Amino acid sequence: MCLHTKWKKPKVAAKNIVVYKVLCTYSEYIESPYQSFVYNLKELYETKLTKRKSLGGLGYNIFEGFHAFVSKKPDWEFEIHEKLYKCIIPKGSTYYISKDNKEIVADKIIIKRKLWFNKF
């Protein structure tokens, strides 16, 4: 997964940011659909953001980082085992927002809980 942004430098979260992440839900664990990264609820995860100038020089592509949606209603076709989780990007985290302001990538994330209205 890749996020396209116009920002050269990441922003720093002045306060906790609520975001939403699609995760695969299985009986004993939850994981990201693309990287198969396993998460535990309420645990802080950290990584390094990686960025490359996009082809044509119009913005940047962010590859590494925790990808999430800004809205509870993402443009996403859910598979049967995929659910939407409420997450927090903690204060002090660095992040990028997509050009359309629908997606976010951060260097830190906490998966808080599965949303109750997941009826896909």
Side-chain angles (χ1 to χ4, degrees):
M1 198 167 175
C2 173
L3 178 127
H4 190 71
T5 186
K6 62 183 178 181
W7 306 106
K8 184 175 184 175
K9 293 185 178 184
K11 297 180 180 196
V12 177
K15 60 182 182 176
N16 288 349
I17 302 170
V18 175
V19 296
Y20 304 90
K21 188 165 182 62
V22 175
L23 296 169
C24 299
T25 304
Y26 302 105
S27 58
E28 49 295 329
Y29 60 94
I30 53 177
E31 73 178 15
S32 60
Y34 289 106
Q35 299 292 329
S36 298
F37 185 86
V38 176
Y39 290 95
N40 292 314
L41 294 178
K42 301 179 182 175
E43 191 171 313
L44 174 65
Y45 292 93
E46 298 181 61
T47 191
K48 183 177 179 182
L49 297 175
T50 60
K51 165 187 81 168
R52 279 191 223 135
K53 193 139 180 88
S54 64
L55 294 175
L58 299 174
Y60 299 88
N61 293 321
I62 314 303
F63 294 97
E64 295 294 326
F66 298 106
H67 295 252
F69 294 100
V70 175
S71 169
K72 279 188 202 178
K73 297 178 183 177
D75 296 333
W76 186 275
E77 290 189 33
F78 287 84
E79 298 291 332
I80 190 76
H81 57 276
E82 292 177 336
K83 304 296 180 199
L84 197 62
Y85 284 76
K86 181 179 179 180
C87 306
I88 299 292
I89 294 173
K91 178 181 176 179
S93 301
T94 57
Y95 68 95
Y96 288 94
I97 294 274
S98 64
K99 283 187 170 184
D100 61 6
N101 293 317
K102 291 183 178 182
E103 296 177 55
I104 191 168
V105 176
D107 66 345
K108 296 179 188 132
I109 198 165
I110 301 168
I111 312 299
K112 295 299 280 183
R113 65 181 173 85
K114 183 169 62 171
L115 295 180
W116 64 271
F117 60 82
N118 279 293
K119 295 187 170 127
F120 304 106

